[in-house]
Amino acid sequence: MALLAGTVLLCTGLLGTEARADTAMLDNVTDLIRTGKTEEAVKAIDGMIALPDLPEETRQALEFAKGCLEQKAGNPKEAAEAFSQALLSPNRSLQSDSHFNLGNMEAAKAKTSMTFSRSEEKQTPPQPASIDDQIKEIDARLAKIPEAKQHIKEAVKRFDDALSAHRSHEGAAANKEEMLRYDKELDEYRKQLEELKKKLEEEKKKQQQQQNKDQQNKDQQNKDQQNKDQQNKDQQNKDQQNKDQQNKDQQNKDQQNKDQQNKDQQNKDQQNKDQQNKDQQNKDQQNKDQQNKDQQNKDQQNKDQQNKDQQNKDQQNKDQQNKDQQNTPGSQDKNKQDEMKNTPLPSSPEKDNLPEAPASSTSQPQPTGKDGKPVPVAAQKESKEAKERREARAILMERRDIEPGCPVPQRSPDYPPDKDY
């Protein structure tokens, strides 16, 4: 509701020419009003009103001033009584102002009756109210509308009286129009509340139906769950019996398997024992055969060594004969030339790495190890004769490139000679 045009007349003005009392008392009341001492001013006015010889016109002016002070102090009941006493004044301006102030008080009551308190202590937003709470709130608001409309009606009447007493009264016509507009707004507001209440009741009915339906479904679910639990319990008992029987059968089967495994293990242990005996016999036989083979290889090596020693001896005899033949007369010059020819020359790495010619055209037996396998050449120990042959061959290979007529064939060092010179 818009603010009403309230006209609070200055009490000091009313206590001017209309007042017929002690000048000192009037000055005291005026000073109290101007300084804002409302309670002291009201007490002073009551003291003046109680004077027996006070003129009625002055008494009614003091009543109006008291009403203004009581209204300012927030005492609507006392203010209404004072304004009602002021209406007895023959002064139409005072009557109009009294009606106007009474109308404003009724308008304030109408506004106050439609004010709904809200707690501001809680900072958190309020929880949404249930449908029942909303309907109760709507009923409470609807119940206050008639009271507010009654106050509006009284306020409009007071404003009409003020206009009747003084047509040019400021604010009376405006406040009357405001009250009539507010009355229409309350009618519209009541209509909105009734529609909202109707919707909430329908929603509540739907919710009730849904709750009933949900309860029925819940009861049916509980019943189904009980039946299902009973079936599960029966099935579990049956499964437990089957499981016990299966466990018993499994235990019998496991015992049979265990007995069979023990029997199979004994057979396997006996077979392993027989196989170990057989393997030991085979191993002993192999050791015996290896010893015989090693003995044969040793005999063959001794025979090969004897043959080699014989060949070395024959070669020494042949060399001795050649030496003796060289010492004959007429051969000294030839020996001297041969000595120059036989002077060893510096060897080169390339020629030292040339492949060695075979010592004899006859194949020598390949040495074998204890296991009967051939011994690699790198692992064989070079004999004295093989060393001498290798050194002599290196000398011949060095001289073939610098002496014409060298008995060593002139060929590439990549191909070793195929004859022992």
Side-chain angles (χ1 to χ4, degrees):
M1 185 178 65
L3 293 177
L4 297 177
T7 302
V8 180
L9 302 179
L10 291 177
C11 297
T12 56
L14 294 175
L15 297 176
T17 58
E18 292 83 358
R20 298 289 186 271
D22 188 2
T23 304
M25 297 180 66
L26 289 175
D27 292 339
N28 184 28
V29 172
T30 302
D31 292 338
L32 291 174
I33 293 174
R34 286 176 178 177
T35 55
K37 297 179 180 180
T38 305
E39 294 182 1
E40 289 82 352
V42 170
K43 290 180 180 179
I45 291 174
D46 288 338
M48 294 176 66
I49 293 174
L51 295 175
D53 55 348
L54 186 67
E56 289 297 325
E57 185 178 357
T58 303
R59 190 188 306 275
Q60 293 161 0
L62 291 174
E63 290 287 353
F64 182 84
K66 179 182 177 182
C68 293
L69 295 175
E70 293 288 358
Q71 185 179 5
K72 183 179 179 181
N75 300 320
K77 184 177 179 180
E78 290 78 2
E81 292 178 356
F83 287 136
S84 298
Q85 292 295 328
L87 289 176
L88 300 176
S89 175
N91 189 340
R92 301 189 65 82
S93 177
L94 186 61
Q95 293 178 10
S96 178
D97 290 338
S98 298
H99 284 300
F100 179 74
N101 286 345
L102 289 172
N104 286 340
M105 293 177 64
E106 292 294 335
K109 291 179 181 179
K111 181 180 177 181
T112 305
S113 63
M114 293 303 298
T115 302
F116 300 92
S117 61
R118 291 289 182 268
S119 176
E120 299 179 357
E121 297 178 358
K122 296 183 179 179
Q123 299 297 329
T124 57
Q127 297 294 331
S130 62
I131 294 179
D132 292 336
D133 294 337
Q134 295 180 29
I135 292 176
K136 289 180 181 179
E137 181 71 15
I138 291 173
D139 290 337
R141 290 172 182 255
L142 289 174
K144 290 184 178 183
I145 290 177
E147 181 182 355
K149 289 178 72 67
Q150 183 63 31
H151 289 300
I152 292 173
K153 183 178 179 181
E154 293 293 334
V156 170
K157 184 177 181 302
R158 291 294 182 180
F159 292 140
D160 287 338
D161 293 339
L163 291 173
S164 298
H166 195 279
R167 287 290 177 183
S168 62
H169 189 282
E170 296 180 0
N175 287 357
K176 176 183 177 181
E177 294 295 329
E178 184 64 29
M179 285 292 98
L180 294 176
R181 189 182 305 112
Y182 185 53
D183 186 68
K184 293 181 180 180
E185 291 177 358
L186 286 180
D187 293 336
E188 184 66 23
Y189 183 55
R190 178 171 55 189
K191 184 178 179 181
Q192 294 176 0
L193 290 177
E194 290 175 351
E195 291 178 356
L196 180 59
K197 180 180 178 181
K198 184 177 180 181
K199 291 180 180 180
L200 291 174
E201 289 176 348
E202 292 177 355
E203 183 67 22
K204 181 180 178 181
K205 186 177 179 181
K206 290 180 180 179
Q207 286 186 359
Q208 188 65 33
Q209 293 176 355
Q210 184 64 32
Q211 289 177 358
N212 294 335
K213 186 176 180 180
D214 294 340
Q215 185 63 33
Q216 292 176 358
N217 294 333
K218 187 176 180 180
D219 295 339
Q220 184 63 32
Q221 289 177 358
N222 292 334
K223 186 176 180 180
D224 295 340
Q225 184 65 31
Q226 290 176 357
N227 295 333
K228 186 176 180 180
D229 294 340
Q230 185 62 33
Q231 291 177 358
N232 291 334
K233 186 176 181 180
D234 297 338
Q235 184 64 32
Q236 289 176 357
N237 294 333
K238 186 176 180 180
D239 294 340
Q240 184 63 33
Q241 292 176 357
N242 294 333
K243 186 176 180 181
D244 295 339
Q245 184 62 33
Q246 291 176 357
N247 291 335
K248 186 176 181 180
D249 297 339
Q250 184 65 33
Q251 290 176 357
N252 295 333
K253 186 176 180 180
D254 293 340
Q255 185 62 33
Q256 294 176 357
N257 292 333
K258 186 176 181 180
D259 296 339
Q260 183 64 31
Q261 288 176 358
N262 293 333
K263 186 176 180 180
D264 295 340
Q265 185 64 32
Q266 291 176 357
N267 295 333
K268 186 176 180 181
D269 294 341
Q270 184 62 33
Q271 291 177 358
N272 292 334
K273 186 176 180 180
D274 296 339
Q275 183 65 31
Q276 289 176 358
N277 294 334
K278 186 176 181 180
D279 294 340
Q280 185 64 33
Q281 292 176 358
N282 293 334
K283 186 176 181 180
D284 295 340
Q285 184 63 33
Q286 289 177 359
N287 292 334
K288 186 176 181 180
D289 295 341
Q290 185 64 33
Q291 290 176 358
N292 294 334
K293 187 175 181 180
D294 293 341
Q295 185 63 33
Q296 291 176 0
N297 291 334
K298 186 176 181 181
D299 296 340
Q300 182 64 33
Q301 289 177 359
N302 293 334
K303 185 176 179 180
D304 293 340
Q305 185 64 33
Q306 291 175 1
N307 293 333
K308 188 175 181 180
D309 294 339
Q310 185 62 34
Q311 289 177 0
N312 292 333
K313 187 176 181 181
D314 295 340
Q315 183 64 33
Q316 290 176 0
N317 293 333
K318 186 176 179 180
D319 294 339
Q320 185 65 34
Q321 291 176 1
N322 291 333
K323 185 177 181 181
D324 295 340
Q325 194 174 13
Q326 289 175 359
N327 292 329
T328 56
S331 61
Q332 293 180 356
D333 295 335
K334 187 177 180 180
N335 291 335
K336 187 175 181 181
Q337 294 177 357
D338 293 338
E339 183 178 357
M340 292 179 64
K341 292 180 180 179
N342 293 331
T343 302
L345 297 177
S347 60
S348 61
E350 293 80 359
K351 293 180 181 181
D352 289 343
N353 294 332
L354 292 176
E356 183 179 356
S360 176
S361 60
T362 60
S363 61
Q364 297 295 332
Q366 181 71 22
T368 58
K370 294 182 180 181
D371 55 355
K373 295 182 180 180
V375 179
V377 178
Q380 299 178 14
K381 186 177 181 181
E382 186 180 21
S383 63
K384 182 178 180 182
E385 182 181 359
K387 183 177 181 181
E388 292 176 353
R389 286 179 178 274
R390 180 173 57 78
E391 294 176 352
R393 177 176 172 277
I395 294 173
L396 291 176
M397 294 299 292
E398 291 175 355
R399 292 187 177 184
R400 67 174 184 174
D401 295 333
I402 63 177
E403 295 183 9
C406 180
V408 179
Q410 301 296 323
R411 60 193 300 177
S412 173
D414 296 336
Y415 301 94
D418 56 356
K419 187 177 180 181
D420 186 13
Y421 289 93

